[in-house]
């Protein structure tokens, strides 16, 4: 059985230490009334895939700092997190294949999109999609499953952030 991991040591494997630690962050956010997406070339598929902005957390970096940095590097936009509570805890990406976990940070974007900050091996196109464009993307395009679920929620919700006010952790803190 083969599995992939971002761990650099045997001790870092979830199968060994049984710890749920996020390797990366994924951002779900709006710029005005449009969701910020990326259409990114993915070598394993030899194709462009719609995804949410995302990236790896650097050593010692908080989830929100990683989200802000990745947003700027991949989209040129500024990102202001709305919540980092219980809904932003890490979840496994594809547990049948990898021990990688990722935390989703929800927020709002500002600025003008640009690709000038992306890494040389990245091929990312920023897409600002309204609900109708999201419906089209879901019907016709290659989309990562994590992005697809968020887009399904976006097209069906008047306020895609309403569930954040129902965060039990944040209610306890108030």
């Amino acid at each position: 059985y083969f599995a992939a991991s971002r761990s650099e040591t045997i001790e870092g494997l979830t199968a060994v230490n049984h710890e749920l630690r996020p390797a990366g962050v994924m951002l779900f956010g709006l710029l005005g009334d449009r969701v910020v997406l990326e259409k990114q070339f993915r070598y394993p598929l030899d194709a462009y895939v719609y995804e949410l902005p995302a990236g790896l957390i650097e050593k010692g970096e908080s989830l929100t700092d990683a989200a802000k940095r990745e947003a700027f590097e991949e989209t040129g936009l500024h990102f202001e997190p709305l919540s980092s509570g219980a809904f932003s805890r890490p979840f496994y990406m594809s547990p049948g294949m990898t021990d990688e976990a990722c935390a989703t940070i929800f927020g709002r974007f500002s600025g003008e999109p640009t690709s000038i900050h992306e890494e040389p091996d990245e091929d990312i196109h920023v897409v600002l999609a309204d609900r109708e464009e999201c419906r089209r993307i879901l019907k016709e395009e290659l989309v990562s499953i994590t992005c697809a679920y968020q887009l399904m929620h976006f097209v069906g919700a008047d306020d895609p952030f309403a569930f954040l006010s129902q965060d039990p952790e944040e209610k306890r803190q108030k």
Side-chain angles (χ1 to χ4, degrees), residues 147-167:
C147 179
Y149 288 147
Q150 292 295 338
L151 294 184
M152 289 174 204
H153 174 74
F154 176 67
V155 299
D158 291 333
D159 177 1
F161 298 122
F163 73 98
L164 293 175
S165 65
Q166 299 165 9
D167 185 336

Side-chain angles (χ1 to χ4, degrees), residues 13 28 66 72 78 89 91 109 113 119-120 137 149 162 168 171:
L13 295 171
F28 177 82
F72 188 72
H78 298 282
R89 73 181 190 87
F91 293 95
F109 287 92
E119 295 177 17
I137 290 168
Y149 288 147
K171 282 185 178 182

Side-chain angles (χ1 to χ4, degrees), residues 58-155:
E58 294 178 359
K59 187 174 182 173
E61 192 173 40
S62 72
L63 294 177
T64 55
D65 286 345
K68 290 177 181 183
R69 178 184 51 76
E70 285 293 342
F72 188 72
E73 288 176 3
E74 293 191 352
T75 69
L77 298 169
H78 298 282
F79 183 73
E80 189 56 43
L82 293 175
S83 171
S84 61
F87 292 118
S88 292
R89 73 181 190 87
F91 293 95
Y92 290 110
M93 299 296 289
S94 183
M97 175 68 179
T98 179
D99 67 353
E100 184 178 21
C102 188
T104 305
I105 308 296
F106 302 91
R108 298 211 179 267
F109 287 92
S110 63
E112 291 295 321
T114 180
S115 61
I116 65 171
H117 306 290
E118 70 185 46
E119 295 177 17
D121 64 342
E122 293 179 316
D123 184 359
I124 300 171
H125 305 272
V126 178
V127 176
L128 306 176
D130 63 15
R131 284 177 171 84
E132 286 307 310
E133 178 63 1
C134 289
R135 283 184 184 93
R136 186 199 68 74
I137 290 168
L138 286 165
K139 289 179 186 176
E140 301 173 10
E141 303 287 348
L142 296 176
V143 183
S144 76
I145 190 68
T146 53
C147 179
Y149 288 147
Q150 292 295 338
L151 294 184
M152 289 174 204
H153 174 74
F154 176 67
V155 299

